[in-house]
Structures are given as structure tokens and as C-alpha cells.
Amino acid sequence: GTPAPVTVIGLGPMGRAMGTTLMQAGHPVTVWNRTPSRADDLVSAGATLAPTPAAAIAASGLTIISLTDYQAMYDILAPVIDDERRPAALGGKVLVNLSSDTPEASRRAAAWATEHGASFITGGVMVPAPAIGNRGAYVFYSGPKDAFDTHEPLLRVIGEPQYLGGDPGLAQLFYQAHLDVFLTALSSLLHATALVTAAGVPAADFLPGVLTTLTGIPAMIGDGAQLAQQLEAGEHPGDLSTALMMGATADHIVRTSETFGVDVALPKAVRSHYDRAIAAGHSTKNWTALYEVIKAES
Ligand code: NDP
């Protein structure tokens, strides 16, 4: 059929990329942004700039929201709700919020939107803005399955949709868990680079090679499903990478960092996992025994 109209609220790099990609796929796109000038390029390319958030919502059955956090959504939509002339502004609308926040904030927002008659889908975009619409782009979604299924073909334009379930907190839970791995790995790359450069080695002699350590991790942990089974069972078999051996290395990294005067916060956090696992009697188990002390922290 004819590509459905869609509204995009929030025109940071991500919202602009989504608006552009949806227009390229033939969808009539209406946009709104607090700072209107950020819509200029989209409008030149054929998008309609709505004069108010209420007009933006009214223009399409589906509105994609791409803001810094969920508070920004309330800042924009609360006046729409409060407007006496538009008591049902959100009634029958589908809102897809792809902004970052806590799972709890996502759940509260879903309840709030539902109370105002909208269907609320939460999402987490798993690629940077320039990758939107490209092969390999994917987005986590959670919330009402019927609304998701109805709009899945449109959402597919921005990236492969991965529907996680009805609990609206799930998309941000997965988003954050992935970013937990991503952000920690990025900080460790910078820390390691600081360490070798403090020792007088140019970054260029180190960085290309260290990437093989990142890409080698899957081969080391094997099938994620098998690791999941072992972690859930509390089993940590294997004596090739014991908590004791890996913990000694973690301590060496802290001491080398101290010697060269680079930040020790991250290596100390890592060492503390090993120290506590060893103190809890896991020294001869596989390094995965760290899981026992990490999960106990909560
Ligand atoms: P930006 O920070 O560049 O854009 C944020 C948007 O939120 C802008 O449109 C801004 O309006 C608006 N905004 C913020 N606070 C308010 C407020 N109180 N009232 C009204 N509008 C507000 O973010 P991005 O576009 O980069 O990202 C958007 C979301 O997508 C974020 O949640 C981010 O985590 C997520 N994401 C981004 C990725 C990326 O590569 N950029 C990758 C994956 C996820 P104004 O223009 O007026 O300031």
C-alpha cells in the first residue's frame, strides 16, 4: 500500500537520521523540534514542520519520539494533554519512544500514555545515527504486541526490529545491558591506550592490534547460550582461566597503571571482582565465578 504518514519529534542526530530514512522510503514525514532550525534540512528534503507538538501528533497515526530522555517527552507532551481544546490529543495514537532512560521510566511513561488513550511502544536504537536504515541496523522494542505488529513494516525502515515482549521496560533494559558492555569496552580501550602511551609507546603501535583482543572474546566464551546455562546453574568449570590466575593479572594492571600515573578507577573495579571472588572461595574455578559476587552486589 501507500507508505503511511509518520511524525518524528526530536531532531538530534538520531531523529534527523530517522526522518531522512523514512522520507527516502516514501513516507510522508511531519517533524517537530524544540529548536526549529534543526528541521531545516529535513524540510528542504520534503518534510512538514508542524507548528506545535499537538499539530505534529495530529498529523500521523504513528509518532516516533527521539529525545535525550523521557522527561523531555513529558515537557513536550504535557502541554498537549493539558490543552482544553484537545482533551483527546493522544487518543488512538501510537507513540514509539526511542529515547534512552531507565526501564522504570519507560514503564511509567507507558502507563501515562495509556491513561491518555495512546498505545505506547518503547525502543532502544542499537546503532549510531549514520547507520540508521543500513544493513545491520537494529532496534529493540517492547510494549503492546498488536500495535507493534501493525507498525512493524514502517519501523523496519529504520532498522531490523527485535520485539522483546509486552513489558514496556524490556527495550531499555536490553539497550542498557548492551551499552554496559559497549561503554566498559570503550573505556578499557582508552585506558589501555593511555597506559602504553604513558610508557612511551605510540598509540598507533598498539591500537590496531588490541582490537583482536576484543574480537577474540566470542571464541573464548563460546556459545552465549552455553555460558548462560552455566551462569544460571552457578557452574564455573574449567581450569585454564581461573579466578586466581586472572586476578593476579588484574592486580598487575592496577599496579602498572599506578606506576605510569594513569587512571586506576576501572582496573580497580575489575580487580575488586577478582578479590571478592577469591575471598568467597572461587579461586580455582573458572573466571566466570566472578558472576557470583557481581550479582550479589545488587
Ligand atoms: P540529542 O541529544 O542530540 O537530541 C536530543 C533531542 O532532545 C533534541 O531534539 C533536543 O531538542 C531534545 N530535547 C532534549 N531535552 C528536551 C526538553 N527538555 N524539551 C524538549 N526537547 C528536548 O540526541 P540524539 O539525537 O543523538 O539521540 C536521541 C536519543 O537516541 C537519545 O536518547 C540517545 O540515547 C538515543 N541514541 C542515539 C544514538 C546516536 O548515535 N546519536 C545511538 C543510539 C541511541 P533541541 O534540539 O531543542 O535541543
Side-chain angles (χ1 to χ4, degrees), residues 45 77 83 89 95 120 127 134 136 140 146 151 154 169 176 196 203 209 211-212 226 228 235 247 294-295:
L77 294 187
D83 189 334
L95 306 180
F120 196 79
V127 291
N134 293 353
F140 289 127
D146 50 349
H151 297 286
L154 184 147
Q176 286 184 16
V196 297
L211 296 185
T212 61
Q226 190 193 341
E235 286 164 5
I294 289 171
K295 71 179 182 185

Side-chain angles (χ1 to χ4, degrees), residues 37-104:
S37 60
R38 290 185 107 176
D40 289 352
D41 289 349
L42 285 161
V43 169
S44 302
T48 303
L49 176 61
T52 61
I57 298 277
S60 314
L62 179 78
T63 293
I64 293 175
I65 299 169
S66 177
L67 302 164
T68 305
D69 55 22
Y70 271 59
Q71 183 55 46
M73 178 195 78
Y74 294 115
D75 291 350
I76 293 167
L77 294 187
V80 175
I81 301 293
D82 293 344
D83 189 334
E84 293 292 319
R85 290 160 298 163
R86 280 185 255 267
L90 298 187
K93 298 295 185 182
V94 177
L95 306 180
V96 180
N97 196 329
L98 302 182
S99 313
S100 175
D101 215 310
T102 62
E104 196 44 42

Side-chain angles (χ1 to χ4, degrees), residues 30-249:
T30 299
V31 296
W32 186 87
N33 193 56
R34 178 179 61 181
T35 309
S37 60
R38 290 185 107 176
D40 289 352
D41 289 349
L42 285 161
V43 169
S44 302
T48 303
L49 176 61
T52 61
I57 298 277
S60 314
L62 179 78
T63 293
I64 293 175
I65 299 169
S66 177
L67 302 164
T68 305
D69 55 22
Y70 271 59
Q71 183 55 46
M73 178 195 78
Y74 294 115
D75 291 350
I76 293 167
L77 294 187
V80 175
I81 301 293
D82 293 344
D83 189 334
E84 293 292 319
R85 290 160 298 163
R86 280 185 255 267
L90 298 187
K93 298 295 185 182
V94 177
L95 306 180
V96 180
N97 196 329
L98 302 182
S99 313
S100 175
D101 215 310
T102 62
E104 196 44 42
S106 302
R107 288 192 194 104
R108 275 197 305 273
W112 177 85
T114 307
E115 199 178 299
H116 294 290
S119 293
F120 196 79
I121 298 170
T122 53
V125 183
M126 298 309 299
V127 291
I132 286 297
N134 293 353
R135 198 144 60 135
Y138 70 106
V139 184
F140 289 127
Y141 292 100
S142 54
K145 178 90 165 76
D146 50 349
F148 171 78
D149 285 343
T150 302
H151 297 286
E152 197 259 11
L154 184 147
L155 297 173
R156 184 167 289 280
V157 170
I158 61 175
E160 175 81 22
Q162 293 194 16
Y163 178 76
L164 298 169
D167 170 4
L170 281 173
Q172 281 305 313
L173 180 69
F174 269 62
Y175 176 81
Q176 286 184 16
H178 278 251
L179 270 287
D180 183 359
V181 173
F182 183 60
L183 298 185
T184 308
L186 294 184
S187 277
S188 73
L189 274 180
L190 298 181
H191 179 271
T193 305
L195 194 60
V196 297
T197 58
V201 177
D205 289 359
F206 167 71
L207 266 171
V210 78
L211 296 185
T212 61
T213 291
L214 274 184
T215 55
I217 290 174
M220 178 188 169
I221 63 171
D223 186 337
Q226 190 193 341
L227 180 60
Q229 197 186 6
Q230 290 175 354
L231 293 181
E232 286 191 344
E235 286 164 5
H236 308 288
D239 55 9
L240 293 177
S241 309
T242 63
L244 190 66
M245 179 279 282
M246 300 275 268
T249 300

